[in-house]
Amino acid sequence: QVHLVESGGGLVKPGGSLRLSCAASGFAFSDYYMGWIRQAPGKGLEWTSYISSGRQNTNYPDSLKGRFTISRDNAKNSLYLEMNSLRPDDTAVYYCARVRWPNSYYFDSWGQGTLVTVSS
Amino acid sequence: EIVLTQSPATLSLSPGERATLSCRASQSVGNFLAWYQQKPGQAPRLLFFDGTSRATGIPARFSGSGSGTDFTLTISSLEPEDFAVYYCQQRNKWPLTFGGGTKVEIK
Protein backbone atom coordinates (compact mmCIF):
# COMPACT_ATOMS: atom_id res chain seq x y z
CA GLN A 1 0.00 0.00 0.00
CA VAL A 2 1.47 3.30 -1.12
CA HIS A 3 2.02 5.74 1.71
CA LEU A 4 3.34 9.29 1.37
CA VAL A 5 3.75 11.49 4.42
CA GLU A 6 4.78 15.13 4.12
CA SER A 7 6.35 17.18 6.89
CA GLY A 8 8.18 20.44 7.39
CA GLY A 9 5.39 22.91 6.78
CA GLY A 10 4.70 25.83 9.07
CA LEU A 11 4.70 29.59 9.41
CA VAL A 12 7.57 31.47 7.77
CA LYS A 13 8.18 35.17 7.21
CA PRO A 14 8.34 36.65 3.70
CA GLY A 15 11.83 36.20 2.31
CA GLY A 16 12.42 33.13 4.45
CA SER A 17 13.19 29.55 3.53
CA LEU A 18 11.66 26.19 4.28
CA ARG A 19 12.48 22.59 3.49
CA LEU A 20 9.65 20.12 3.04
CA SER A 21 10.13 16.37 3.31
CA CYS A 22 8.08 13.43 2.10
CA ALA A 23 8.57 9.92 3.48
CA ALA A 24 7.54 7.19 1.06
CA SER A 25 6.69 3.57 1.79
CA GLY A 26 4.82 0.64 0.28
CA PHE A 27 6.46 0.79 -3.14
CA ALA A 28 9.87 0.77 -4.84
CA PHE A 29 10.56 4.48 -4.36
CA SER A 30 13.76 4.49 -6.41
CA ASP A 31 11.84 3.30 -9.49
CA TYR A 32 9.40 6.18 -9.60
CA TYR A 33 9.47 9.78 -10.71
CA MET A 34 8.01 12.07 -8.03
CA GLY A 35 6.58 15.55 -7.83
CA TRP A 36 5.23 18.33 -5.63
CA ILE A 37 1.88 20.01 -6.26
CA ARG A 38 0.48 22.84 -4.20
CA GLN A 39 -2.97 24.21 -3.48
CA ALA A 40 -3.54 27.70 -2.13
CA PRO A 41 -6.42 27.98 0.38
CA GLY A 42 -9.73 27.61 -1.45
CA LYS A 43 -7.98 27.46 -4.82
CA GLY A 44 -7.05 24.90 -7.46
CA LEU A 45 -4.00 22.73 -7.98
CA GLU A 46 -0.64 23.99 -9.20
CA TRP A 47 2.27 21.76 -10.20
CA THR A 48 5.57 22.99 -8.70
CA SER A 49 8.26 20.43 -9.50
CA TYR A 50 9.18 16.94 -10.57
CA ILE A 51 12.28 14.75 -10.31
CA SER A 52 13.25 11.63 -12.19
CA SER A 53 13.85 8.36 -10.42
CA GLY A 54 17.63 8.60 -10.61
CA ARG A 55 17.71 12.34 -9.82
CA GLN A 56 19.19 13.20 -13.23
CA ASN A 57 16.28 15.32 -14.35
CA THR A 58 14.20 17.96 -12.63
CA ASN A 59 11.72 20.48 -13.92
CA TYR A 60 9.77 23.47 -12.61
CA PRO A 61 7.36 26.02 -13.97
CA ASP A 62 9.23 29.16 -15.04
CA SER A 63 7.58 31.12 -12.24
CA LEU A 64 9.34 29.00 -9.60
CA LYS A 65 12.71 28.30 -11.22
CA GLY A 66 15.54 29.56 -9.07
CA ARG A 67 13.48 29.63 -5.86
CA PHE A 68 12.36 26.01 -5.51
CA THR A 69 14.62 22.96 -5.62
CA ILE A 70 13.40 19.38 -5.60
CA SER A 71 15.67 16.55 -4.51
CA ARG A 72 15.48 12.98 -3.32
CA ASP A 73 17.40 10.40 -1.32
CA ASN A 74 16.54 6.97 -2.65
CA ALA A 75 18.43 5.27 0.18
CA LYS A 76 16.09 6.96 2.65
CA ASN A 77 12.94 6.71 0.49
CA SER A 78 12.56 10.44 0.86
CA LEU A 79 11.63 13.39 -1.32
CA TYR A 80 12.42 17.02 -0.52
CA LEU A 81 11.44 20.51 -1.61
CA GLU A 82 13.70 23.42 -0.71
CA MET A 83 11.86 26.73 -0.97
CA ASN A 84 13.67 30.07 -0.80
CA SER A 85 12.69 33.74 -0.95
CA LEU A 86 9.20 32.79 0.08
CA ARG A 87 6.34 35.14 -0.67
CA PRO A 88 2.80 35.38 0.71
CA ASP A 89 1.45 33.87 -2.52
CA ASP A 90 3.46 30.71 -1.82
CA THR A 91 1.02 30.02 1.01
CA ALA A 92 -0.55 26.66 0.22
CA VAL A 93 -0.89 23.03 1.12
CA TYR A 94 2.01 21.22 -0.51
CA TYR A 95 1.39 17.67 -1.68
CA CYS A 96 4.02 15.09 -2.44
CA ALA A 97 2.84 12.81 -5.27
CA ARG A 98 4.06 9.77 -7.15
CA VAL A 99 4.17 9.92 -10.92
CA ARG A 100 2.28 7.05 -12.47
CA TRP A 101 4.68 4.42 -13.85
CA PRO A 102 6.26 4.53 -16.32
CA ASN A 103 6.93 8.23 -16.04
CA SER A 104 3.63 9.36 -17.45
CA TYR A 105 3.58 12.69 -15.56
CA TYR A 106 0.20 11.91 -14.09
CA PHE A 107 0.06 11.62 -10.30
CA ASP A 108 -1.40 8.35 -9.07
CA SER A 109 -0.71 8.58 -5.32
CA TRP A 110 -0.71 11.63 -3.10
CA GLY A 111 0.18 12.40 0.47
CA GLN A 112 -2.16 14.31 2.75
CA GLY A 113 -0.19 17.51 2.37
CA THR A 114 1.64 19.95 4.61
CA LEU A 115 0.55 23.56 5.05
CA VAL A 116 3.02 26.36 4.40
CA THR A 117 1.98 29.82 5.53
CA VAL A 118 4.07 32.81 4.49
CA SER A 119 3.19 35.81 6.60
CA SER A 120 4.82 38.49 8.71
CA GLU B 1 1.63 27.37 -21.26
CA ILE B 2 -1.46 25.33 -21.97
CA VAL B 3 -4.52 26.71 -20.22
CA LEU B 4 -7.25 24.26 -19.24
CA THR B 5 -10.72 25.73 -18.82
CA GLN B 6 -13.24 23.65 -16.92
CA SER B 7 -16.98 24.17 -17.12
CA PRO B 8 -19.27 24.64 -15.46
CA ALA B 9 -17.61 25.95 -12.32
CA THR B 10 -20.38 24.40 -10.25
CA LEU B 11 -22.82 21.64 -11.11
CA SER B 12 -25.86 21.22 -8.84
CA LEU B 13 -27.40 17.78 -9.23
CA SER B 14 -29.29 15.16 -7.25
CA PRO B 15 -28.11 11.62 -6.47
CA GLY B 16 -28.93 9.34 -9.38
CA GLU B 17 -28.59 12.08 -11.98
CA ARG B 18 -26.01 12.16 -14.76
CA ALA B 19 -23.08 14.58 -14.48
CA THR B 20 -21.19 15.89 -17.51
CA LEU B 21 -18.02 17.89 -16.86
CA SER B 22 -16.01 19.66 -19.55
CA CYS B 23 -12.31 20.47 -19.87
CA ARG B 24 -11.14 22.55 -22.81
CA ALA B 25 -7.46 23.10 -23.65
CA SER B 26 -6.03 26.29 -25.20
CA GLN B 27 -4.15 24.08 -27.69
CA SER B 28 -4.17 20.41 -28.53
CA VAL B 29 -2.92 18.06 -25.81
CA GLY B 30 -3.46 14.93 -27.90
CA ASN B 31 -4.94 12.42 -25.48
CA PHE B 32 -2.55 13.40 -22.66
CA LEU B 33 -5.15 14.45 -20.14
CA ALA B 34 -6.04 13.21 -16.66
CA TRP B 35 -8.97 13.70 -14.33
CA TYR B 36 -8.79 13.88 -10.53
CA GLN B 37 -11.40 13.92 -7.80
CA GLN B 38 -10.87 15.86 -4.58
CA LYS B 39 -13.12 15.71 -1.54
CA PRO B 40 -12.98 18.33 1.24
CA GLY B 41 -9.91 17.93 3.41
CA GLN B 42 -8.49 15.16 1.24
CA ALA B 43 -5.78 14.85 -1.36
CA PRO B 44 -6.77 14.49 -5.02
CA ARG B 45 -7.34 11.01 -6.42
CA LEU B 46 -6.50 10.01 -9.99
CA LEU B 47 -9.60 8.92 -11.92
CA PHE B 48 -8.47 8.79 -15.55
CA PHE B 49 -5.27 9.18 -17.51
CA ASP B 50 -4.63 9.49 -21.24
CA GLY B 51 -8.16 10.78 -21.64
CA THR B 52 -10.06 7.54 -21.36
CA SER B 53 -8.04 5.06 -19.27
CA ARG B 54 -9.64 4.40 -15.89
CA ALA B 55 -7.26 4.35 -12.93
CA THR B 56 -7.19 1.44 -10.50
CA GLY B 57 -10.34 1.04 -8.43
CA ILE B 58 -12.43 3.67 -10.20
CA PRO B 59 -16.06 2.57 -10.59
CA ALA B 60 -17.54 1.97 -14.02
CA ARG B 61 -20.10 4.77 -13.58
CA PHE B 62 -17.21 7.14 -14.33
CA SER B 63 -16.10 7.54 -17.94
CA GLY B 64 -13.66 9.80 -19.73
CA SER B 65 -13.76 10.85 -23.36
CA GLY B 66 -12.27 13.31 -25.79
CA SER B 67 -9.01 14.21 -27.48
CA GLY B 68 -7.25 17.25 -28.86
CA THR B 69 -8.76 20.24 -27.08
CA ASP B 70 -12.10 18.96 -25.77
CA PHE B 71 -12.52 16.40 -23.02
CA THR B 72 -15.45 15.20 -20.95
CA LEU B 73 -15.79 13.40 -17.65
CA THR B 74 -19.17 11.72 -17.23
CA ILE B 75 -20.67 10.21 -14.11
CA SER B 76 -23.62 8.14 -15.28
CA SER B 77 -25.54 8.07 -12.01
CA LEU B 78 -24.30 10.14 -9.08
CA GLU B 79 -23.68 8.38 -5.80
CA PRO B 80 -23.49 10.36 -2.53
CA GLU B 81 -19.70 9.90 -2.42
CA ASP B 82 -19.28 11.47 -5.87
CA PHE B 83 -20.04 15.00 -4.70
CA ALA B 84 -16.62 16.60 -4.85
CA VAL B 85 -14.39 18.86 -6.94
CA TYR B 86 -12.98 17.50 -10.19
CA TYR B 87 -9.81 18.70 -11.90
CA CYS B 88 -8.29 17.99 -15.28
CA GLN B 89 -4.52 18.02 -15.91
CA GLN B 90 -2.48 17.94 -19.12
CA ARG B 91 0.95 16.44 -19.57
CA ASN B 92 1.45 17.16 -23.28
CA LYS B 93 3.71 20.17 -22.73
CA TRP B 94 5.70 21.70 -19.90
CA PRO B 95 4.67 23.10 -17.57
CA LEU B 96 2.14 20.57 -16.39
CA THR B 97 -1.09 22.46 -15.86
CA PHE B 98 -4.41 21.87 -14.12
CA GLY B 99 -7.84 23.22 -14.84
CA GLY B 100 -9.59 25.42 -12.31
CA GLY B 101 -11.96 22.66 -11.23
CA THR B 102 -15.66 21.84 -11.33
CA LYS B 103 -17.53 21.43 -8.07
CA VAL B 104 -20.32 18.85 -8.17
CA GLU B 105 -22.68 19.70 -5.35
CA ILE B 106 -25.91 18.24 -4.05
CA LYS B 107 -28.97 20.03 -5.34
Side-chain angles (χ1 to χ4, degrees), chain A residues 85-105:
Chain A
S85 303
L86 284 163
R87 310 189 296 229
D89 62 0
D90 293 317
T91 294
V93 173
Y94 284 75
Y95 294 101
C96 157
R98 187 181 78 170
V99 172
R100 184 182 174 277
W101 195 87
N103 315 329
S104 64
Y105 305 110

Side-chain angles (χ1 to χ4, degrees), chain A residues 44-96:
Chain A
L45 302 168
E46 180 185 15
W47 167 72
T48 73
S49 57
Y50 108 92
I51 186 167
S52 60
S53 53
R55 300 176 297 171
Q56 305 97 319
N57 298 312
T58 60
N59 207 348
Y60 312 86
D62 287 346
S63 59
L64 298 179
K65 281 179 183 173
R67 291 200 302 124
F68 284 22
T69 303
I70 188 173
S71 62
R72 65 191 296 162
D73 185 337
N74 287 340
K76 295 183 177 179
N77 288 345
S78 292
L79 180 72
Y80 307 101
L81 184 66
E82 187 81 33
M83 304 183 294
N84 297 313
S85 303
L86 284 163
R87 310 189 296 229
D89 62 0
D90 293 317
T91 294
V93 173
Y94 284 75
Y95 294 101
C96 157

Side-chain angles (χ1 to χ4, degrees), chain A residues 5-45:
Chain A
V5 179
E6 302 92 339
S7 60
L11 176 63
V12 60
K13 288 182 167 53
S17 297
L18 210 55
R19 189 195 197 205
L20 306 182
S21 299
C22 172
S25 60
F27 66 103
F29 179 74
S30 60
D31 288 345
Y32 284 81
Y33 285 29
M34 298 291 295
W36 291 93
I37 299 98
R38 69 183 181 181
Q39 186 170 35
K43 301 297 184 183
L45 302 168

Side-chain angles (χ1 to χ4, degrees), chain B residues 5-80:
Chain B
T5 301
Q6 292 188 241
S7 62
T10 304
L11 201 49
S12 298
L13 295 167
S14 301
E17 289 194 295
R18 182 184 188 89
T20 303
L21 288 67
S22 172
C23 177
R24 179 162 290 178
S26 59
Q27 58 184 274
S28 176
V29 299
N31 67 333
F32 297 132
L33 189 110
W35 290 95
Y36 299 84
Q37 177 195 64
Q38 187 179 32
K39 297 179 181 179
Q42 296 185 18
R45 176 174 71 145
L46 180 66
L47 300 176
F48 287 88
F49 58 94
D50 290 344
T52 61
S53 297
R54 193 177 286 108
T56 304
I58 304 306
R61 64 181 180 274
F62 290 88
S63 63
S65 64
S67 65
T69 60
D70 290 297
F71 296 83
T72 301
L73 174 68
T74 302
I75 311 170
S76 60
S77 178
L78 282 164
E79 297 287 339

